[in-house]
mmCIF file of all heavy atoms in Angstrom:
data_model
loop_
_atom_site.group_PDB
_atom_site.id
_atom_site.type_symbol
_atom_site.label_atom_id
_atom_site.label_comp_id
_atom_site.label_asym_id
_atom_site.label_seq_id
_atom_site.Cartn_x
_atom_site.Cartn_y
_atom_site.Cartn_z
ATOM 1 N N LEU A 71 -9.505 4.265 9.095
ATOM 2 C CA LEU A 71 -10.901 3.993 9.341
ATOM 3 C C LEU A 71 -11.732 5.128 8.612
ATOM 4 O O LEU A 71 -11.367 6.321 8.548
ATOM 5 C CB LEU A 71 -11.138 4.145 10.848
ATOM 6 C CG LEU A 71 -10.529 3.044 11.639
ATOM 7 C CD1 LEU A 71 -10.775 3.243 13.100
ATOM 8 C CD2 LEU A 71 -11.029 1.567 11.225
ATOM 9 N N LYS A 72 -12.982 4.608 8.100
ATOM 10 C CA LYS A 72 -13.832 5.531 7.417
ATOM 11 C C LYS A 72 -14.448 6.533 8.446
ATOM 12 O O LYS A 72 -14.577 6.142 9.681
ATOM 13 C CB LYS A 72 -14.974 4.764 6.748
ATOM 14 C CG LYS A 72 -14.517 4.197 5.438
ATOM 15 C CD LYS A 72 -15.744 4.193 4.475
ATOM 16 C CE LYS A 72 -15.368 3.649 3.114
ATOM 17 N NZ LYS A 72 -15.874 2.200 2.869
ATOM 18 N N GLU A 73 -14.649 7.707 8.083
ATOM 19 C CA GLU A 73 -15.378 8.804 8.892
ATOM 20 C C GLU A 73 -16.540 8.106 9.647
ATOM 21 O O GLU A 73 -17.358 7.305 9.034
ATOM 22 C CB GLU A 73 -15.922 9.773 7.929
ATOM 23 C CG GLU A 73 -16.639 10.890 8.609
ATOM 24 C CD GLU A 73 -15.699 12.009 9.094
ATOM 25 O OE1 GLU A 73 -14.647 12.101 8.358
ATOM 26 O OE2 GLU A 73 -15.997 12.653 10.053
ATOM 27 N N GLY A 74 -16.620 8.308 10.952
ATOM 28 C CA GLY A 74 -17.643 7.832 11.807
ATOM 29 C C GLY A 74 -17.516 6.395 12.265
ATOM 30 O O GLY A 74 -18.167 6.019 13.179
ATOM 31 N N ASN A 75 -16.519 5.595 11.671
ATOM 32 C CA ASN A 75 -16.337 4.249 12.070
ATOM 33 C C ASN A 75 -15.339 4.252 13.177
ATOM 34 O O ASN A 75 -14.471 3.362 13.300
ATOM 35 C CB ASN A 75 -15.858 3.450 10.893
ATOM 36 C CG ASN A 75 -15.704 1.927 11.342
ATOM 37 O OD1 ASN A 75 -16.254 1.477 12.239
ATOM 38 N ND2 ASN A 75 -14.856 1.268 10.517
ATOM 39 N N ASN A 76 -15.351 5.220 14.143
ATOM 40 C CA ASN A 76 -14.378 5.220 15.243
ATOM 41 C C ASN A 76 -14.965 5.833 16.470
ATOM 42 O O ASN A 76 -14.240 5.922 17.435
ATOM 43 C CB ASN A 76 -13.137 6.061 14.835
ATOM 44 C CG ASN A 76 -13.427 7.400 14.385
ATOM 45 O OD1 ASN A 76 -14.480 7.820 14.388
ATOM 46 N ND2 ASN A 76 -12.363 8.063 13.999
ATOM 47 N N LYS A 77 -16.247 6.144 16.460
ATOM 48 C CA LYS A 77 -16.893 6.750 17.622
ATOM 49 C C LYS A 77 -17.634 5.735 18.529
ATOM 50 O O LYS A 77 -18.534 5.055 18.034
ATOM 51 C CB LYS A 77 -17.942 7.779 17.353
ATOM 52 C CG LYS A 77 -17.429 8.832 16.178
ATOM 53 C CD LYS A 77 -16.654 9.963 16.948
ATOM 54 C CE LYS A 77 -15.772 10.703 16.057
ATOM 55 N NZ LYS A 77 -16.376 11.125 14.752
ATOM 56 N N ASN A 78 -17.102 5.328 19.684
ATOM 57 C CA ASN A 78 -17.555 4.413 20.663
ATOM 58 C C ASN A 78 -17.404 2.986 20.126
ATOM 59 O O ASN A 78 -17.347 2.075 20.947
ATOM 60 C CB ASN A 78 -18.981 4.678 21.015
ATOM 61 C CG ASN A 78 -19.199 5.963 21.655
ATOM 62 O OD1 ASN A 78 -18.315 6.712 21.950
ATOM 63 N ND2 ASN A 78 -20.432 6.388 21.840
ATOM 64 N N ARG A 79 -17.458 2.762 18.885
ATOM 65 C CA ARG A 79 -17.600 1.453 18.287
ATOM 66 C C ARG A 79 -17.000 1.525 16.901
ATOM 67 O O ARG A 79 -17.130 2.589 16.163
ATOM 68 C CB ARG A 79 -19.080 1.087 18.122
ATOM 69 C CG ARG A 79 -19.325 -0.190 17.485
ATOM 70 C CD ARG A 79 -20.822 -0.319 17.186
ATOM 71 N NE ARG A 79 -21.272 -1.594 16.774
ATOM 72 C CZ ARG A 79 -21.134 -2.182 15.631
ATOM 73 N NH1 ARG A 79 -20.593 -1.398 14.663
ATOM 74 N NH2 ARG A 79 -21.462 -3.469 15.307
ATOM 75 N N SER A 80 -16.171 0.538 16.642
ATOM 76 C CA SER A 80 -15.472 0.508 15.342
ATOM 77 C C SER A 80 -15.452 -0.878 14.761
ATOM 78 O O SER A 80 -15.091 -1.780 15.501
ATOM 79 C CB SER A 80 -14.098 1.061 15.458
ATOM 80 O OG SER A 80 -13.407 1.104 14.293
ATOM 81 N N SER A 81 -15.768 -1.062 13.485
ATOM 82 C CA SER A 81 -15.716 -2.393 12.949
ATOM 83 C C SER A 81 -14.699 -2.455 11.765
ATOM 84 O O SER A 81 -14.505 -1.504 11.015
ATOM 85 C CB SER A 81 -17.107 -2.798 12.445
ATOM 86 O OG SER A 81 -17.551 -1.902 11.571
ATOM 87 N N LEU A 82 -14.173 -3.592 11.573
ATOM 88 C CA LEU A 82 -13.222 -3.895 10.556
ATOM 89 C C LEU A 82 -13.692 -5.170 9.883
ATOM 90 O O LEU A 82 -14.148 -6.031 10.445
ATOM 91 C CB LEU A 82 -11.838 -4.241 11.102
ATOM 92 C CG LEU A 82 -10.902 -3.112 11.538
ATOM 93 C CD1 LEU A 82 -9.494 -3.724 11.825
ATOM 94 C CD2 LEU A 82 -10.783 -2.005 10.517
ATOM 95 N N CYS A 83 -13.449 -5.211 8.525
ATOM 96 C CA CYS A 83 -13.644 -6.504 7.830
ATOM 97 C C CYS A 83 -12.408 -6.757 7.079
ATOM 98 O O CYS A 83 -11.931 -5.943 6.297
ATOM 99 C CB CYS A 83 -14.909 -6.324 6.847
ATOM 100 S SG CYS A 83 -15.294 -7.872 6.092
ATOM 101 N N VAL A 84 -11.864 -7.954 7.330
ATOM 102 C CA VAL A 84 -10.627 -8.352 6.863
ATOM 103 C C VAL A 84 -10.822 -9.596 5.919
ATOM 104 O O VAL A 84 -11.441 -10.533 6.408
ATOM 105 C CB VAL A 84 -9.540 -8.728 8.047
ATOM 106 C CG1 VAL A 84 -8.261 -9.126 7.387
ATOM 107 C CG2 VAL A 84 -9.483 -7.593 8.923
ATOM 108 N N THR A 85 -10.284 -9.389 4.721
ATOM 109 C CA THR A 85 -10.326 -10.656 3.809
ATOM 110 C C THR A 85 -8.862 -11.098 3.900
ATOM 111 O O THR A 85 -7.973 -10.606 3.291
ATOM 112 C CB THR A 85 -10.674 -10.290 2.383
ATOM 113 O OG1 THR A 85 -12.043 -9.698 2.446
ATOM 114 C CG2 THR A 85 -10.844 -11.552 1.564
#
Side-chain angles (χ1 to χ4, degrees):
L71 296 173
K72 281 210 179 106
E73 180 85 29
N75 183 21
N76 56 1
K77 307 281 163 43
N78 300 351
R79 177 186 191 280
S80 179
S81 59
L82 283 188
C83 185
V84 182
T85 305

